[in-house]
Amino acid sequence: MKTVKLLFATLFAGATIATQAQTITGKLTDETHTPLEYANVVLLNPGDSTFIQGTVTNTNGDFTIDKVNGKTYILKASSVGYETTYKNCQSGHIGTLILKSDAVTLQETVITAHRPTYKMKGNALVTNVANSLLSTAGTANDVLTHIPFVQGDNGDFTVFGKGTPLIYLNGRQLRDLSELARLSSKDIQSVEVITNPGAEYDVTVKSIIKIKTVKPQGEGFSTNVNAGIIQDHNFNHYEQLNMNYRHGGLDVFANLYFSRMGNYQEQKDKHYIEVDTTWNHRSEMDMNAISYSLNTEGGFNYMIDSNHSLGARYTFNRSPKSHLDMTSDYEIAANGNFYDRQHYDYDWNNNDFSHRVNAYYLGTVGKLGIDFNADYYSGETRQYQNVLETSEEYEDRHVTTSNLNDNRLYAAKLVLTHPIGKGELKAGAEYSNTRRISRYENPQNYLPETDNKIKEEKLAGFAEFAIALGQLQASAGLRYEHVTSEYLDKGKRVEEQSRNYDNLFPNISLAMPVGKTQLSLSYTAKTRRPSYNELSSNLQYDDRFTYEGGNPNLKPATIHDITLMGSYQWIQLFVSYQQRRDAIEFVAESYDKNPAITLFTRKNFDKIEELNTGLVLSPKFGIWEPSLSLQMQQPFFKNITMGEWKHFNRPIFSGRLDNNFRFSKTFTGNLTMFYSTKGNTSIMLMKPNQGVNISLNKTFMDERLNVNLHVNDIFASQRSSYIIYGDCMQFEKWNYSDTRNIQLSVRYKFNSTRSKYRGTGAANEEMNRL
């Protein structure tokens, strides 16, 4: 009996302890009700303010502190750039705490806490833009050109070693990348570069760029007017009008953008083909393209309370006219003897339009976070080609083609988050339904006509768990995708090109400090699905000896990626190793109907490996804030050219020096110099490239008026030149692409506010494939 009583007493004591061991939960937001992620939350003893325990908020701003009793504590919440908040609390849910911006007003001068320029967050590098020299760069395009490990300009960006990223703005994926040119750098809070995205994202996505803007200010009606001119070989201009009305939780917005842009190129080619006849072509080309673009969008966002918001956005894009004129002169030799001289007049006309609707709901029910997005997309592109060929020795040709692409997409995505112990579980599902119709016609029958339809359904489920164990932050996830693809040629199903895929893709990430150094190690398994253009049966007519086209037999590639990142004060390190199975690569092959014609297309290779390393040094010296980026891209690849195996293993070394100057609070400048060496990528040997850019930025009228001047490629030294090695050919190209220009932009804000829209979109990578 004593034993039974002792057992009951032990169980009762355990139950009492379990009852007393409770949790404290809550949420942190800023003054605009935007969740504050990775903010510090600690419990203090009310008697002597000694530390008891603590945690950090998750991506939704939620926090949970375990193993507390019914006593009263002091809860301290803090985040860099915000005022620290204290609250007396007991166990249970304490609601939402709002942290105010850490700024004071003194004689109409705002002094804001300066945040670190760079910080590691898991396997991501975060660059704080607000209150730094980057905030004076001009536009989001200009900011991204100065972000570590990001390369490119004017909406065409890549993450070093990771390819083209998806770009998000306040959680909304940018479908129209020209929007980057419409976003002022002064409105950007931070830029986050994720080098190994987890299970939440489509497995074709190898990098993410997230842009977060500064918090919205004020209520009522606001207008933002922006206009600019660009002078190169063409006179280019753009105009933008943003309107916003805010009252309480309701946010209504409308934007209008129009541009007229031109691009001029000079090109010189040498084309060597060795088949039954040895051909040598030399050509010189001049190209000039003019395009007009109209973008309109409108929508609303309604924040019901700090835990629930919903909204919808409609976007219409229209390019009523895109026109390319090109002339070229060819001199052709066969077996060392003169064969022909040819003159080409090319005339391309494009027009396209697209509609997109996005609706979202973002909320929190208890500890459960809910993020739901639904998308509808439809678009059409039409291209007409008219080529007049004049030959000295043979018949003249008149080649006309028309190409229609009609796209439609339905998609939905649901993401749920919930804290579990000291970690957070994120799980969800994604569905997309895509249809693409492609028709290609050539009345002269130089090229085959096609009438294709591709229908694809994708269903994906994923789960990812992240936890902080002391200083170690760990996450692991798994994504399952089921894809059904049907390929129809003239209405008939083609079995060998209609495929089903069922795949699992794991990911894992570890991050922790070692001394004062932040380190992150991550592994992901990804895939690269061919785009719909790459799967097309269409052929583009370049000249009598050159075609371009897709390959309907392409298989998806599987990519294994291991990435190490490190951050120590103003030093950033990046190392990535990739192995690609069934790699999709650009190739130059003999056209099966005439081996003297070169066909540029894509094909699968069994295995390709690549090593990428990068180092960024960003010290500060008074008004001078330099940033030196050093990168190396080392491929391991071989292919048959001229009947022999050729290794394409020559690394590319590149460097960029950003010299940022803060002459005064309202006047800043930048001088950028960059250089890249000769090296291999795919079957190409890239030629050296270099350039020098300069920019000046000045604000007036208490920062309501901003004037930005850019002078790009001052010495006209930038080139896109390379040598392509094919199975029985070699193609050498020298190119100048109108990179030297002067840009002047003027932006004026009337009672400026910014939309609170928080939709993220669904099936974003599928729309990229379209």
Side-chain angles (χ1 to χ4, degrees):
M1 179 64 69
K2 290 182 179 179
T3 303
V4 173
K5 289 181 179 180
L6 181 61
L7 177 61
F8 273 106
T10 304
L11 291 174
F12 178 77
T16 303
I17 294 172
T19 303
Q20 292 176 345
Q22 303 173 33
T23 61
I24 296 176
T25 62
K27 185 184 186 75
L28 294 186
T29 72
D30 63 14
E31 296 159 293
T32 68
H33 305 296
T34 300
L36 293 177
E37 55 182 350
Y38 301 100
N40 294 315
V41 182
V42 299
L43 289 184
L44 305 177
N45 189 314
D48 54 9
S49 297
T50 56
F51 173 83
I52 298 175
Q53 61 173 307
T55 186
V56 294
T57 57
N58 63 19
T59 54
N60 294 318
D62 300 316
F63 64 87
T64 299
I65 299 178
D66 297 317
K67 299 179 181 178
V68 299
N69 52 34
K71 296 180 180 180
T72 299
Y73 300 93
I74 297 177
L75 186 143
K76 175 183 175 183
S78 61
S79 182
V80 179
Y82 297 90
E83 294 180 0
T84 301
T85 296
Y86 296 88
K87 180 181 177 66
N88 291 330
C89 67
Q90 295 179 331
S91 60
H93 187 66
I94 66 172
T96 299
L97 301 182
I98 299 175
L99 271 60
K100 297 181 179 180
S101 176
D102 188 10
V104 296
T105 302
L106 180 62
Q107 296 180 350
E108 300 183 355
T109 300
V110 178
I111 304 173
T112 306
H114 284 269
R115 310 176 79 176
T117 303
Y118 305 107
K119 68 176 181 180
M120 293 282 296
K121 189 175 78 173
N123 64 338
L125 177 65
V126 181
T127 303
N128 293 305
V129 177
N131 305 313
S132 74
L133 281 174
L134 282 179
S135 66
T136 67
T139 68
N141 268 326
D142 302 313
V143 170
L144 291 182
T145 60
H146 301 292
I147 297 297
F149 312 124
V150 176
Q151 301 167 314
D153 56 23
N154 295 326
D156 184 15
F157 292 98
T158 60
V159 173
F160 180 61
K162 304 291 184 173
T164 303
L166 290 186
I167 300 179
Y168 287 81
L169 175 60
N170 292 333
R172 173 177 61 88
Q173 200 254 344
L174 294 185
R175 293 299 317 141
D176 178 14
L177 293 181
S178 65
E179 191 171 342
L180 294 171
R182 305 193 289 272
L183 174 62
S184 171
S185 59
K186 288 189 176 297
D187 294 325
I188 298 176
Q189 178 70 40
S190 63
V191 176
E192 179 179 349
V193 180
I194 303 175
T195 56
N196 255 359
E200 176 185 353
Y201 298 97
D202 190 289
V203 290
T204 61
V205 178
K206 295 184 286 296
S207 59
I208 300 285
I209 294 178
K210 290 184 176 181
I211 301 174
K212 182 180 178 181
T213 60
V214 297
K215 66 181 186 295
Q217 296 285 348
E219 290 204 349
F221 182 76
S222 66
T223 305
N224 188 322
V225 180
N226 183 28
I229 57 174
I230 304 172
Q231 181 64 60
D232 41 39
H233 279 79
N234 298 279
F235 178 76
N236 309 307
H237 60 87
Y238 62 88
E239 296 79 33
Q240 176 186 0
L241 175 64
N242 296 337
M243 295 175 290
N244 200 95
Y245 176 76
R246 178 173 299 134
H247 181 72
L250 179 64
D251 198 34
V252 181
F253 57 91
N255 304 320
L256 178 65
Y257 177 84
F258 177 79
S259 69
R260 187 268 192 197
M261 294 292 170
N263 179 261
Y264 171 80
Q265 293 190 46
E266 296 177 9
Q267 187 168 312
K268 297 178 182 179
D269 298 335
K270 297 177 183 179
H271 196 171
Y272 174 81
I273 305 170
E274 191 176 275
V275 286
D276 53 350
T277 302
T278 300
W279 299 92
N280 282 280
H281 312 161
R282 290 179 178 268
S283 64
E284 294 186 4
M285 303 180 187
D286 289 308
M287 294 167 274
N288 195 47
I290 303 293
S291 63
Y292 297 86
S293 179
L294 175 67
N295 172 278
T296 61
E297 64 178 13
F300 77 94
N301 178 80
Y302 183 58
M303 298 191 70
I304 302 171
D305 54 38
S306 60
N307 293 324
H308 304 278
S309 65
L310 55 87
R313 173 189 294 265
Y314 167 73
T315 304
F316 174 71
N317 287 309
R318 171 72 169 154
S319 294
K321 183 180 179 182
S322 295
H323 183 77
L324 169 65
D325 286 320
M326 183 171 73
T327 62
S328 62
D329 291 287
Y330 284 70
E331 185 169 318
I332 305 168
N335 292 326
N337 301 315
F338 171 79
Y339 177 79
D340 195 13
R341 290 189 183 89
Q342 297 171 357
H343 176 79
Y344 290 77
D345 288 299
Y346 297 85
D347 185 14
W348 273 281
N349 286 283
N350 292 52
N351 61 76
D352 60 70
F353 67 87
S354 66
H355 303 269
R356 185 192 181 193
V357 179
N358 170 251
Y360 81 94
Y361 165 76
L362 188 65
T364 304
V365 179
K367 297 181 181 181
L368 180 67
I370 305 171
D371 185 351
F372 175 76
N373 274 263
D375 271 301
Y376 168 76
Y377 173 87
S378 68
E380 186 177 290
T381 62
R382 294 180 181 269
Q383 182 185 75
Y384 302 95
Q385 182 185 32
N386 185 26
V387 184
L388 292 174
E389 301 181 12
T390 304
S391 171
E392 282 189 9
E393 303 295 330
Y394 301 93
E395 83 284 353
D396 296 339
R397 284 186 182 181
H398 183 199
V399 182
T400 59
T401 66
S402 64
N403 187 14
L404 165 68
N405 291 309
D406 185 2
N407 305 311
R408 189 215 62 204
L409 168 72
Y410 300 97
K413 183 177 182 179
L414 174 66
V415 181
L416 303 175
T417 57
H418 195 281
I420 297 179
K422 295 183 178 181
E424 179 187 73
L425 176 66
K426 179 180 293 186
E430 188 173 352
Y431 172 79
S432 66
N433 184 300
T434 309
R435 184 221 65 201
R436 179 183 177 94
I437 297 174
S438 181
R439 296 190 181 96
Y440 187 84
E441 297 177 352
N442 172 227
Q444 297 81 19
N445 295 318
Y446 292 116
L447 301 172
E449 296 186 353
T450 59
D451 184 358
N452 302 325
K453 179 187 287 188
I454 300 177
K455 296 190 292 185
E456 187 170 292
E457 273 191 308
K458 182 177 72 175
L459 180 63
F462 62 88
E464 189 168 13
F465 183 70
I467 189 170
L469 302 171
Q471 292 184 316
L472 173 67
Q473 296 181 21
S475 66
L478 188 66
R479 184 181 179 96
Y480 165 76
E481 290 196 352
H482 171 74
V483 180
T484 302
S485 179
E486 184 178 27
Y487 189 95
L488 296 94
D489 183 19
K490 297 181 174 63
K492 295 183 179 180
R493 178 184 170 96
V494 182
E495 292 298 333
E496 59 269 24
Q497 297 172 24
S498 301
R499 303 167 184 149
N500 296 334
Y501 301 99
D502 289 278
N503 300 105
L504 287 171
F505 298 93
N507 69 276
I508 187 169
S509 175
L510 301 171
M512 69 176 297
V514 178
K516 295 183 179 180
T517 302
Q518 293 288 329
L519 293 176
S520 169
L521 180 66
S522 59
Y523 162 78
T524 60
K526 297 286 185 179
T527 189
R528 149 108 152 86
R529 296 193 181 96
S531 71
Y532 288 102
N533 281 331
E534 290 173 332
L535 289 171
S536 173
S537 299
N538 300 346
L539 293 178
Q540 175 179 298
Y541 186 91
D542 290 350
D543 55 56
R544 297 190 189 192
F545 291 88
T546 313
Y547 296 167
E548 297 181 46
N551 180 359
N553 297 311
L554 286 175
K555 298 181 295 184
T558 301
I559 304 165
H560 300 279
D561 186 300
I562 299 176
T563 297
L564 172 68
M565 297 185 67
S567 178
Y568 175 77
Q569 295 183 356
W570 42 265
I571 303 173
Q572 319 298 323
L573 174 68
F574 173 95
V575 181
S576 172
Y577 167 79
Q578 289 184 2
Q579 182 189 88
R580 291 178 284 151
R581 297 282 185 174
D582 292 322
I584 301 171
E585 289 296 322
F586 174 78
V587 294
E589 297 182 333
S590 298
Y591 184 45
D592 55 3
K593 296 181 180 180
N594 185 347
I597 297 174
T598 297
L599 173 62
F600 292 117
T601 184
R602 304 269 177 175
K603 72 177 243 185
N604 292 105
F605 289 86
D606 290 339
K607 184 178 74 171
I608 296 178
E609 297 173 297
E610 187 172 280
L611 176 67
N612 298 285
T613 61
L615 179 68
V616 178
L617 310 175
S618 305
K620 296 182 180 180
F621 306 98
I623 67 168
W624 178 37
E625 298 182 12
S627 178
L628 176 63
S629 300
L630 302 172
Q631 297 174 162
M632 187 272 288
Q633 180 179 341
Q634 171 68 69
F636 302 95
F637 174 51
K638 64 180 181 179
N639 191 33
I640 293 179
T641 178
M642 298 299 181
E644 298 179 353
W645 284 103
K646 180 176 177 62
H647 289 267
F648 296 89
N649 299 343
R650 184 166 183 168
I652 296 177
F653 297 92
S654 60
R656 185 182 72 200
L657 177 61
D658 282 315
N659 299 278
N660 300 294
F661 300 93
R662 188 186 296 273
F663 303 115
S664 70
K665 180 183 177 182
T666 61
F667 184 35
T668 61
N670 173 269
L671 174 66
T672 298
M673 300 174 284
F674 59 90
Y675 178 80
S676 64
T677 67
K678 182 188 296 185
N680 289 125
T681 175
S682 184
I683 61 168
M684 295 185 288
L685 177 66
M686 305 300 298
K687 299 289 188 70
N689 187 33
Q690 60 274 324
V692 178
N693 305 326
I694 190 170
S695 66
L696 298 171
N697 187 85
K698 176 68 176 176
T699 59
F700 304 88
M701 304 172 65
D702 197 23
E703 297 193 354
R704 292 193 301 273
L705 177 64
N706 180 264
V707 179
N708 193 279
L709 176 67
H710 282 258
V711 182
N712 296 314
D713 194 17
I714 296 174
F715 302 107
S717 57
Q718 286 186 238
R719 296 288 179 269
S720 177
S721 303
Y722 50 75
I723 301 175
I724 297 175
Y725 297 92
D727 57 354
C728 58
M729 59 79 65
Q730 182 174 308
F731 180 87
E732 183 174 358
K733 169 182 150 182
W734 175 94
N735 175 269
Y736 169 72
S737 186
D738 218 12
T739 49
R740 180 161 64 177
N741 58 59
I742 299 176
Q743 301 181 19
L744 176 66
S745 64
V746 179
R747 184 186 300 265
Y748 189 78
K749 303 178 182 180
F750 301 85
N751 185 32
S752 180
T753 62
R754 180 164 291 280
S755 170
K756 301 177 183 178
Y757 196 82
R758 301 166 74 184
T760 60
N764 296 311
E765 180 60 23
E766 186 63 18
M767 281 187 275
N768 280 347
R769 293 178 67 215
L770 290 173

